[in-house]
Amino acid sequence: GRSSALRLTPDHSAHVSAGAVLVLPGEHVQVLSDDGEWAYIVLHQRNFETGWLQSKHLRPLAAAPLVCGVKCQSPDLETLKMTVFTFGLENFDSALVDRCSDFSRGGSEAVVDRETLQRVFTKRSLGSVHVFCDTRVFSDPGTISPHIGVNPRILEQIASNRHFPRWIEELKKDVMRASHRASHLVMAFYCRSGKHRSVAASRFLQHIAERDGFHVSVIHLSKAKWRNTCKGKCDQCAEGRGDVNLRMRALDMAVSWWDRC
């Protein structure tokens, strides 16, 4: 609304142009001054745009970091939620399975439009999805198939893929566009079987979103079909176990590419 637009002066009656910069819910800002009614802020991730924002829209971070001695705050932080679904084209829904059967390589190459995917989610009472993201741009890590996508080696393999920077860039654009329309974002990643690439993608986004103040819920819709896998419970895949350093390096690579976009 008007109250979330950056203004040139701290004045309720000041005109807000159609092209005014809007501060998004959850966007991190640097507060240079705040008199309790109006705050003068800097948007570091948007070419250092500056302006006035009503103080009531600012929420301090749980542990507000200091940037050059100035606290960073986030507008309406407590309202930020994200639900992330993962699923496989070949095992989640009969309509998608039928679609895959039209292609010689099945779910590895099946083309499914957004409308079809949304109809499936609506039919299953899963609601509207803001962004459907195809993760089949990455090679299927079949050699590590006893594990699922949260395995450190799988995360590292995908984060090191030559397509990863561009994929992260496009994902960030989709997330930013969706955040203009809702404070509770719903994302859905898919691949062929819903256990490797889509699961890894969800872990990357979860890591980034939680860093940025979102409360994230991840739901693996094809989990019941994770046959012949550890289901993420083995010593290598369980969070905080296995090669912790390798996992963090992969997640940090995702953050690094995200912040460069």
Side-chain angles (χ1 to χ4, degrees):
R2 288 171 58 90
S3 59
S4 63
L6 277 187
R7 299 170 187 254
L8 297 177
T9 60
D11 184 358
H12 288 286
S13 62
H15 174 69
V16 178
S17 66
V21 175
L22 295 179
V23 181
L24 305 178
E27 184 170 3
H28 291 187
V29 305
Q30 181 181 355
V31 179
L32 299 180
S33 67
D34 186 358
D35 63 5
E37 183 178 6
W38 290 93
Y40 191 66
I41 67 171
V42 181
L43 301 177
H44 283 269
Q45 294 186 352
R46 289 208 253 165
N47 296 319
F48 295 89
E49 290 274 2
T50 59
W52 293 91
L53 182 74
Q54 286 183 277
S55 301
K56 67 181 182 181
H57 294 295
L58 293 172
R59 298 291 184 274
L61 296 175
L66 294 179
V67 180
C68 298
V70 183
K71 279 190 176 182
C72 288
Q73 294 183 313
S74 178
D76 302 328
L77 187 63
E78 75 281 0
T79 66
L80 292 175
K81 296 180 181 179
M82 180 182 291
T83 299
V84 181
F85 292 106
T86 71
F87 64 97
L89 294 177
E90 289 188 350
N91 57 26
F92 173 50
D93 185 87
S94 59
L96 299 179
V97 174
D98 290 344
R99 180 62 174 159
C100 290
S101 67
D102 294 335
F103 294 80
S104 60
R105 295 177 57 226
S108 295
E109 65 176 3
V111 178
V112 186
D113 59 75
R114 190 191 191 288
E115 289 71 23
T116 299
L117 294 173
Q118 183 57 68
R119 279 198 300 271
V120 168
F121 270 65
T122 301
K123 178 181 70 175
R124 290 177 168 266
S125 301
L126 293 171
S128 297
V129 175
H130 294 106
V131 178
F132 286 100
C133 183
D134 188 351
T135 62
R136 292 173 298 168
V137 64
F138 306 114
S139 300
D140 191 350
T143 57
I144 322 175
S145 57
H147 303 288
I148 64 169
V150 295
N151 182 274
R153 289 174 59 199
I154 294 178
L155 291 172
E156 193 275 336
Q157 178 178 319
I158 290 178
S160 301
N161 188 284
R162 63 188 178 89
H163 297 296
F164 190 73
R166 179 62 182 274
W167 179 81
I168 278 282
E169 180 181 359
E170 293 303 315
L171 176 62
K172 183 175 182 179
K173 289 179 182 178
D174 288 338
V175 170
M176 294 301 291
R177 279 193 291 265
S179 67
H180 284 279
R181 307 194 300 271
S183 58
H184 183 175
L185 303 184
V186 181
M187 315 289 293
F189 296 105
Y190 63 94
C191 57
R192 184 180 65 83
S193 61
K195 63 182 177 182
H196 291 136
R197 292 165 288 184
S198 60
V199 171
S202 73
R203 186 65 187 90
F204 287 127
L205 182 57
Q206 178 186 9
H207 183 70
I208 293 167
E210 288 180 342
R211 180 206 65 165
D212 290 345
F214 282 83
H215 173 74
V216 183
S217 299
V218 180
I219 302 171
H220 302 300
L221 298 172
S222 292
K223 186 174 183 178
K225 306 295 176 61
W226 288 351
R227 300 186 180 94
N228 303 316
T229 73
C230 68
K231 301 186 186 300
K233 298 179 180 179
C234 75
D235 287 342
Q236 295 183 45
C237 291
E239 197 71 27
R241 301 170 72 176
D243 195 335
V244 177
N245 291 332
L246 182 61
R247 178 185 288 112
M248 285 309 304
R249 280 202 302 272
L251 295 175
D252 287 344
M253 285 174 66
V255 169
S256 178
W257 284 115
W258 181 278
D259 288 343
R260 294 184 200 183
C261 299

